[in-house]
Amino acid sequence: MAANPGGGSTDAGGGPVRHIPVLLDEVLAALAPAPGKLILDGTFGAGGYTSAILAAGAEVIALDRDPTAIAAGQAMVAAHGGHLKLVHSQFSHLADHAPKGGLDGVVLDIGVSSMQIDEAERGFSFQKNGPLDMRMSATGVSAADVVNRAKVSDLIRIFHFLGEESQAPRIAHAIEKRRVEKPFETTRDLAGLIEQVTPRKMKDKIHPATRVFQALRIFVNDELAELAQALFAAEAVLKPGGRLVVVTFHSLEDRIVKKFFSDRAGKASGSRHLPAALERAATFTAVGKSMVSASEAEAEANPRARSAKLRAGRRTDAAAEAADMSLFGFPNLASLGKLGG
């Protein structure tokens, strides 16, 4: 997943937007930072949450997979005299950066950052013509590799499952036909084809390319698996009483977080008539409401907040459970490793 500076984009290829931390007050209320506490911000971005956590007196370990965010954050590190440690890392590896004594809190803000959208050369936005890239870490398989090399059947599955695109077969077949003549290189190149294949209707609220760009970004960065692995990692390193706070911006992510907290709430295994010894102890209890969304005032002031959902849990003293990815029922998609080169 991207490091999001407190504000994810609800439009996978949207234009530039001002950096405003989303649900900041609600995040702080759920996270409860305070002097003497150590919080891990898994999605540093422009430092929106980290700055507020530091202001509350807590110390912060912040992660980001984007090297540009790490470079930009060095001034903040210098300004906080050892209270902030900034690490270049995917948040799925957060357990590698937690001390042996554990953490008092973990916050994850899931989505693409405004910095990444605003830079045409990163290839996230179809409103800014640039290379068809979308790699948050600037390494590995790009969106162009996927579009130009994946089998049409794989493209259909990627667009359908990760973008929830109803026109996935039509778009995938059009891509297959066009790439024989000329490989896709730019964001406008791909968006232009999608516009031709599925023209925008008057009633449409989003651009025709939005869902395909979302699907490609999620696939290229393995975002759903990254999120799932980060949830398991947080469970393993949080102290009893520690808080896990996650802000998501679309339904795929929110379903993963909801399913995780529901599963970790503790329940009987199998039939209610089985021995009590088979009951599972809860590893998390709810913090506040099961889901918090932005107020009307915040959504009006910051369009990015409209689809934001916050879920939070408090760690119990029960042992962490196994990191079983089958919990989430992810579809079997193409291998990223076979599409590079």
Side-chain angles (χ1 to χ4, degrees), residues 174-220:
I175 288 173
E176 181 186 42
K177 181 179 179 180
R178 166 36 228 283
R179 71 189 183 187
V180 173
E181 304 169 2
K182 180 184 177 183
F184 290 88
E185 296 180 352
T186 69
T187 55
R188 285 304 309 162
D189 198 11
L190 177 59
L193 176 77
I194 297 171
E195 289 171 350
Q196 294 176 16
V197 175
T198 57
R200 188 168 191 170
K201 299 180 177 64
M202 289 291 293
K203 63 180 180 179
D204 292 343
K205 295 182 179 180
I206 61 174
H207 189 280
T210 298
R211 295 187 180 91
V212 168
F213 270 62
Q214 171 185 294
L216 287 170
R217 191 202 78 225
I218 292 173
F219 181 72
V220 164

Coordinates of all heavy atoms in Angstrom, one line a residue, residues 174-220:
A174 N -9.9 -4.9 -25.6 CA -9.5 -3.7 -26.4 C -8.0 -3.4 -26.2 O -7.3 -3.1 -27.1 CB -10.3 -2.5 -26.0
I175 N -7.6 -3.6 -24.9 CA -6.1 -3.5 -24.6 C -5.3 -4.5 -25.4 O -4.3 -4.2 -26.0 CB -5.9 -3.6 -23.1 CG1 -6.5 -2.4 -22.3 CG2 -4.4 -3.8 -22.8 CD1 -6.4 -2.5 -20.8
E176 N -5.8 -5.7 -25.4 CA -5.0 -6.8 -26.1 C -4.9 -6.5 -27.5 O -3.8 -6.7 -28.1 CB -5.8 -8.1 -25.9 CG -5.0 -9.3 -26.5 CD -5.9 -10.6 -26.4 OE1 -7.1 -10.5 -26.7 OE2 -5.3 -11.6 -26.2
K177 N -5.9 -6.0 -28.1 CA -5.9 -5.7 -29.6 C -5.0 -4.5 -29.9 O -4.2 -4.5 -30.8 CB -7.3 -5.3 -30.1 CG -7.4 -5.0 -31.5 CD -8.8 -4.7 -32.0 CE -8.9 -4.4 -33.4 NZ -10.3 -4.1 -33.8
R178 N -5.0 -3.5 -29.0 CA -4.3 -2.3 -29.3 C -2.8 -2.5 -29.0 O -1.9 -1.9 -29.7 CB -4.8 -1.2 -28.4 CG -4.1 0.1 -28.2 CD -3.3 0.8 -29.2 NE -2.0 1.1 -28.6 CZ -1.8 2.2 -27.8 NH1 -2.8 3.0 -27.6 NH2 -0.7 2.4 -27.3
R179 N -2.4 -3.2 -28.0 CA -1.0 -3.4 -27.6 C -0.2 -4.1 -28.7 O 1.0 -4.1 -28.7 CB -0.9 -4.0 -26.3 CG -1.2 -5.5 -26.2 CD -1.3 -6.0 -24.8 NE -1.5 -7.5 -24.7 CZ -1.7 -8.1 -23.6 NH1 -1.7 -7.5 -22.5 NH2 -2.0 -9.4 -23.7
V180 N -0.9 -4.9 -29.5 CA -0.2 -5.6 -30.6 C 0.4 -4.5 -31.6 O 1.5 -4.7 -32.2 CB -1.1 -6.5 -31.4 CG1 -0.5 -7.1 -32.6 CG2 -1.6 -7.7 -30.4
E181 N -0.4 -3.5 -31.8 CA 0.0 -2.4 -32.7 C 1.1 -1.5 -32.1 O 2.1 -1.1 -32.7 CB -1.2 -1.6 -33.1 CG -2.3 -2.4 -33.8 CD -3.6 -1.6 -33.9 OE1 -3.6 -0.4 -33.5 OE2 -4.6 -2.2 -34.3
K182 N 0.9 -1.2 -30.8 CA 1.8 -0.3 -30.1 C 1.6 -0.4 -28.6 O 0.5 -0.3 -28.1 CB 1.5 1.2 -30.5 CG 2.4 2.2 -29.8 CD 1.9 3.6 -30.1 CE 2.8 4.6 -29.4 NZ 2.3 6.0 -29.6
P183 N 2.7 -0.7 -27.9 CA 2.6 -0.9 -26.5 C 2.1 0.4 -25.8 O 2.4 1.5 -26.2 CB 4.0 -1.2 -26.0 CG 4.7 -1.7 -27.3 CD 4.0 -1.0 -28.4
F184 N 1.4 0.2 -24.7 CA 1.0 1.3 -23.9 C 2.2 1.9 -23.1 O 2.9 1.1 -22.5 CB -0.1 0.9 -22.9 CG -1.4 0.6 -23.5 CD1 -1.7 -0.7 -24.0 CD2 -2.4 1.6 -23.7 CE1 -2.9 -1.0 -24.6 CE2 -3.6 1.3 -24.4 CZ -3.8 0.0 -24.8
E185 N 2.3 3.2 -23.1 CA 3.5 3.9 -22.4 C 3.1 4.9 -21.4 O 3.7 5.1 -20.4 CB 4.4 4.5 -23.5 CG 5.1 3.5 -24.4 CD 6.0 4.1 -25.4 OE1 6.0 5.4 -25.5 OE2 6.7 3.4 -26.1
T186 N 2.0 5.6 -21.7 CA 1.6 6.7 -20.8 C 0.2 6.6 -20.2 O -0.6 5.8 -20.7 CB 1.6 8.1 -21.6 OG1 0.5 8.1 -22.6 CG2 2.9 8.3 -22.3
T187 N -0.1 7.4 -19.2 CA -1.4 7.3 -18.6 C -2.5 7.8 -19.5 O -3.6 7.2 -19.5 CB -1.4 8.2 -17.3 OG1 -1.0 9.5 -17.7 CG2 -0.4 7.7 -16.3
R188 N -2.3 8.8 -20.3 CA -3.3 9.3 -21.2 C -3.5 8.3 -22.3 O -4.6 8.2 -22.9 CB -2.9 10.6 -21.8 CG -3.0 11.8 -20.8 CD -4.4 11.9 -20.3 NE -5.5 11.9 -21.3 CZ -6.7 11.6 -21.1 NH1 -7.2 11.4 -19.9 NH2 -7.6 11.7 -22.1
D189 N -2.5 7.6 -22.7 CA -2.6 6.5 -23.7 C -3.6 5.5 -23.3 O -4.6 5.1 -24.0 CB -1.2 5.9 -23.9 CG -1.1 5.1 -25.2 OD1 -2.0 5.2 -26.0 OD2 -0.1 4.4 -25.3
L190 N -3.5 5.0 -22.1 CA -4.5 4.0 -21.6 C -5.8 4.6 -21.3 O -6.9 4.0 -21.7 CB -3.9 3.3 -20.3 CG -4.8 2.3 -19.6 CD1 -5.2 1.2 -20.5 CD2 -4.2 1.8 -18.3
A191 N -5.9 5.8 -20.6 CA -7.1 6.4 -20.3 C -7.9 6.7 -21.6 O -9.1 6.6 -21.7 CB -6.9 7.7 -19.5
G192 N -7.2 7.1 -22.7 CA -7.8 7.5 -23.9 C -8.5 6.2 -24.5 O -9.6 6.3 -25.1
L193 N -7.9 5.1 -24.5 CA -8.5 3.9 -25.0 C -9.7 3.5 -24.2 O -10.8 3.2 -24.8 CB -7.5 2.7 -24.9 CG -8.1 1.4 -25.4 CD1 -8.2 1.3 -26.9 CD2 -7.3 0.2 -24.9
I194 N -9.7 3.6 -22.9 CA -10.8 3.3 -22.0 C -12.0 4.2 -22.3 O -13.1 3.8 -22.4 CB -10.4 3.3 -20.6 CG1 -9.4 2.3 -20.3 CG2 -11.6 3.1 -19.7 CD1 -8.8 2.3 -18.9
E195 N -11.7 5.5 -22.6 CA -12.7 6.5 -22.9 C -13.4 6.1 -24.2 O -14.6 6.3 -24.3 CB -12.1 7.9 -23.0 CG -11.7 8.5 -21.7 CD -10.9 9.8 -21.9 OE1 -10.5 10.1 -23.1 OE2 -10.6 10.5 -21.0
Q196 N -12.7 5.6 -25.2 CA -13.3 5.1 -26.4 C -14.1 3.9 -26.3 O -15.2 3.8 -26.9 CB -12.1 4.8 -27.5 CG -11.3 6.1 -27.9 CD -10.2 5.7 -28.8 OE1 -10.2 4.6 -29.4 NE2 -9.2 6.6 -29.0
V197 N -13.6 2.9 -25.5 CA -14.3 1.7 -25.3 C -15.6 1.8 -24.4 O -16.6 1.2 -24.7 CB -13.4 0.6 -24.6 CG1 -14.1 -0.7 -24.3 CG2 -12.2 0.4 -25.6
T198 N -15.5 2.6 -23.4 CA -16.6 2.9 -22.4 C -16.8 4.3 -22.2 O -16.4 4.9 -21.2 CB -16.4 2.2 -21.1 OG1 -15.1 2.7 -20.5 CG2 -16.2 0.7 -21.2
P199 N -17.4 5.0 -23.2 CA -17.6 6.5 -23.1 C -18.4 6.9 -21.8 O -19.2 6.2 -21.4 CB -18.4 6.8 -24.4 CG -18.2 5.7 -25.3 CD -18.0 4.5 -24.4
R200 N -18.0 8.0 -21.3 CA -18.7 8.5 -20.1 C -20.1 9.0 -20.4 O -20.3 9.7 -21.3 CB -17.9 9.7 -19.5 CG -18.3 10.2 -18.2 CD -17.3 11.1 -17.6 NE -17.6 11.4 -16.2 CZ -16.8 12.1 -15.3 NH1 -15.6 12.5 -15.8 NH2 -17.1 12.3 -14.1
K201 N -21.0 8.5 -19.6 CA -22.4 8.9 -19.7 C -22.7 10.1 -18.8 O -22.0 10.4 -17.8 CB -23.3 7.7 -19.3 CG -23.1 6.5 -20.2 CD -24.0 5.4 -19.8 CE -23.9 4.2 -20.7 NZ -22.6 3.5 -20.6
M202 N -23.7 10.8 -19.1 CA -24.1 12.0 -18.3 C -24.3 11.7 -16.8 O -23.9 12.5 -16.0 CB -25.4 12.6 -18.9 CG -25.2 13.2 -20.2 SD -24.2 14.8 -20.1 CE -25.3 15.8 -19.2
K203 N -24.8 10.5 -16.5 CA -25.1 10.1 -15.1 C -23.9 9.6 -14.3 O -23.9 9.5 -13.1 CB -26.2 9.0 -15.1 CG -25.7 7.7 -15.7 CD -26.8 6.7 -15.6 CE -26.4 5.4 -16.2 NZ -27.5 4.3 -16.1
D204 N -22.8 9.4 -15.1 CA -21.6 8.9 -14.4 C -20.9 9.9 -13.5 O -20.7 11.0 -13.9 CB -20.5 8.4 -15.5 CG -21.0 7.2 -16.2 OD1 -21.9 6.5 -15.7 OD2 -20.4 6.9 -17.3
K205 N -20.6 9.5 -12.3 CA -20.0 10.4 -11.3 C -18.4 10.4 -11.4 O -17.8 11.3 -11.0 CB -20.4 10.1 -9.9 CG -21.9 10.3 -9.7 CD -22.2 9.9 -8.2 CE -23.7 10.1 -7.9 NZ -24.1 9.8 -6.5
I206 N -17.9 9.3 -12.0 CA -16.4 9.2 -12.1 C -16.0 9.0 -13.6 O -16.8 8.6 -14.4 CB -15.9 8.1 -11.2 CG1 -16.5 6.7 -11.7 CG2 -16.2 8.3 -9.8 CD1 -15.9 5.5 -11.0
H207 N -14.8 9.3 -13.8 CA -14.2 9.1 -15.1 C -14.2 7.6 -15.5 O -14.0 6.7 -14.6 CB -12.7 9.6 -15.2 CG -12.1 9.7 -16.5 ND1 -11.6 8.5 -17.1 CD2 -11.9 10.7 -17.4 CE1 -11.1 8.9 -18.3 NE2 -11.3 10.2 -18.5
P208 N -14.4 7.2 -16.8 CA -14.4 5.8 -17.2 C -13.2 5.0 -16.8 O -13.2 3.8 -16.6 CB -14.6 5.8 -18.7 CG -15.1 7.2 -19.0 CD -14.7 8.1 -17.9
A209 N -12.0 5.7 -16.7 CA -10.8 5.0 -16.4 C -10.5 4.8 -14.9 O -9.5 4.1 -14.6 CB -9.6 5.7 -17.1
T210 N -11.3 5.4 -14.1 CA -11.0 5.4 -12.6 C -10.8 4.0 -12.1 O -9.9 3.7 -11.4 CB -12.2 6.1 -11.9 OG1 -12.3 7.4 -12.3 CG2 -12.0 6.0 -10.4
R211 N -11.8 3.1 -12.4 CA -11.7 1.8 -11.7 C -10.5 0.9 -12.3 O -9.9 0.2 -11.5 CB -13.0 1.0 -12.0 CG -14.2 1.7 -11.2 CD -15.5 0.8 -11.3 NE -16.6 1.5 -10.6 CZ -17.4 2.3 -11.2 NH1 -17.3 2.6 -12.5 NH2 -18.4 2.8 -10.5
V212 N -10.2 1.1 -13.6 CA -9.1 0.4 -14.1 C -7.8 0.9 -13.5 O -6.9 0.1 -13.1 CB -9.0 0.5 -15.7 CG1 -7.7 0.0 -16.2 CG2 -10.2 -0.3 -16.3
F213 N -7.6 2.2 -13.4 CA -6.4 2.7 -12.8 C -6.3 2.3 -11.3 O -5.2 2.0 -10.8 CB -6.4 4.3 -12.9 CG -5.8 4.8 -14.1 CD1 -6.3 4.5 -15.4 CD2 -4.6 5.6 -14.0 CE1 -5.7 4.9 -16.5 CE2 -4.0 6.0 -15.2 CZ -4.6 5.7 -16.4
Q214 N -7.4 2.2 -10.6 CA -7.4 1.8 -9.2 C -6.9 0.3 -9.2 O -6.1 -0.1 -8.3 CB -8.8 1.8 -8.6 CG -8.9 1.2 -7.2 CD -10.3 1.2 -6.7 OE1 -10.9 2.2 -6.4 NE2 -10.9 0.0 -6.6
A215 N -7.5 -0.5 -10.1 CA -7.1 -1.9 -10.1 C -5.7 -2.1 -10.4 O -5.0 -3.0 -9.7 CB -8.0 -2.6 -11.1
L216 N -5.1 -1.4 -11.3 CA -3.7 -1.5 -11.7 C -2.8 -1.1 -10.5 O -1.8 -1.7 -10.2 CB -3.4 -0.7 -12.9 CG -3.9 -1.3 -14.3 CD1 -3.7 -0.2 -15.4 CD2 -3.2 -2.6 -14.6
R217 N -3.2 0.0 -9.9 CA -2.4 0.5 -8.7 C -2.4 -0.5 -7.6 O -1.3 -0.8 -7.0 CB -3.0 1.8 -8.2 CG -2.1 2.5 -7.2 CD -2.9 3.5 -6.4 NE -3.6 2.8 -5.3 CZ -4.9 3.0 -5.0 NH1 -5.6 3.9 -5.7 NH2 -5.5 2.3 -4.1
I218 N -3.5 -1.1 -7.3 CA -3.6 -2.1 -6.2 C -2.8 -3.3 -6.6 O -2.1 -3.9 -5.7 CB -5.1 -2.4 -5.9 CG1 -5.8 -1.3 -5.3 CG2 -5.2 -3.7 -5.0 CD1 -7.3 -1.5 -5.2
F219 N -2.9 -3.7 -7.8 CA -2.2 -5.0 -8.3 C -0.7 -4.7 -8.3 O 0.1 -5.6 -7.7 CB -2.7 -5.4 -9.6 CG -2.0 -6.6 -10.2 CD1 -2.3 -7.9 -9.6 CD2 -1.1 -6.5 -11.2 CE1 -1.7 -9.0 -10.1 CE2 -0.5 -7.7 -11.7 CZ -0.8 -8.9 -11.1
V220 N -0.2 -3.6 -8.9 CA 1.2 -3.4 -9.0 C 1.9 -3.3 -7.6 O 3.0 -3.8 -7.4 CB 1.4 -2.0 -9.8 CG1 2.8 -1.5 -9.6 CG2 1.1 -2.3 -11.3

